Amino acid sequence: MTPESSVPREAGAPDVTRAPRRAPGRLDRIEVTGIRAWGRHGVLAAETELGQQFVADVTLHLSTAPAGRADDLARTVNYAGIALAVHEEISTGAHKLIETLAERIADRILTGEGAPWVRRVALTVHKPSAPVGLPVGDVAVSIERDAAPIEAVLALGSNLGDRAAHLERALSVLAEAEGIEVEWTGPVLETDPVGGPDGQGAYLNTAVGVSTVLGPFDLLEAARRAEQDAHRQRAVRWGPRTLDVDLITYGDHRLDDAELSLPHPRAHARAFVLAPWHAARPAAELPGHGRIADLLARAGDRDGLRPGPAVTGFDRP
């Protein structure tokens, strides 16, 4: 993102050039301890030839609330899969250092079996039979690693009240949210309503790219808080609204959930989503659908787009 010192900020503009991203303040924990496996890690020949037992304790930091509310395993990490992954990392390959083994396990959890739910992992690898030349109870290495931030795209729209003010305020709410950093904003376009009841007024629509350390449902909650701040009412499906904030993509992750589908199931056919996104990121792709430019060229509602007003904080690719 462009440093604030190089681009003057207009008076009253939302400050989207922020300090380093803040980690989420509250995360739940799932602990899987005592994972035992035979491995061949060590610097001595006997260690790599004969092997010895290793033990791993894993603490997964994530938000368990989405799964807890729905009683749905698809909304959380499968800790049986985590245990199997740790067992495989211990029992395959040969590393000189248990520090290396610990790094390999943490990386696999954060980018593999634990993604995208696990946002931090704490891990201890025990080597109880380490050949240190003296009687000791245990040798262990403990590390803690964070998952890399996720790039996500949000679509914003308003057709009630002071539409520009609603968008500007929403950008401020998102930029101030814990665990979110605004990376880019698209231009504001005025668009004809698509779907919903007849007689609606025109929308102002735009797209915002964020980098986040939040899980997908926590990011969705942040979007809903922005809507609540604008006093959004959900009386009629696709009806007029002060503010609509949709989560379009969350990295390349796919999710088919009653509350959240990723990528957004109708984004590929909506010019009012694609056009501001394409203006800010011409080379972008929608996971599973291809290039935004190609999708925009085929979108049926593209003729209903026209330039919108200049809104503070937007059109900053």
Side-chain angles (χ1 to χ4, degrees), residues 117-203:
W117 312 109
V118 177
R119 306 312 303 157
R120 181 180 303 126
V121 61
L123 169 69
T124 298
V125 176
H126 303 266
K127 189 177 181 180
S129 301
V132 297
L134 294 170
V136 297
D138 191 16
V139 173
V141 168
S142 297
I143 66 172
E144 188 170 313
R145 299 291 181 265
D146 289 331
I150 297 290
E151 303 297 317
V153 175
L154 301 166
L156 282 61
S158 174
N159 77 332
L160 280 182
D162 190 336
R163 301 172 299 167
H166 289 317
L167 296 182
E168 184 176 341
R169 172 61 183 167
L171 183 60
S172 292
V173 172
L174 292 170
E176 293 166 4
E178 185 177 57
I180 296 175
E181 185 172 344
V182 176
E183 295 289 340
W184 55 265
T185 59
V188 174
L189 303 178
E190 189 169 59
T191 67
D192 294 335
V194 177
D198 295 334
Q200 293 192 64
Y203 280 81

Side-chain angles (χ1 to χ4, degrees), residues 25 82 87 89 98 100 135 140 144 146 167 188 191 233 249 315:
I82 295 294
H87 189 279
E89 289 296 327
I98 55 174
T100 303
E144 188 170 313
D146 289 331
L167 296 182
V188 174
T191 67
Q233 300 293 323
T249 65
D315 202 9

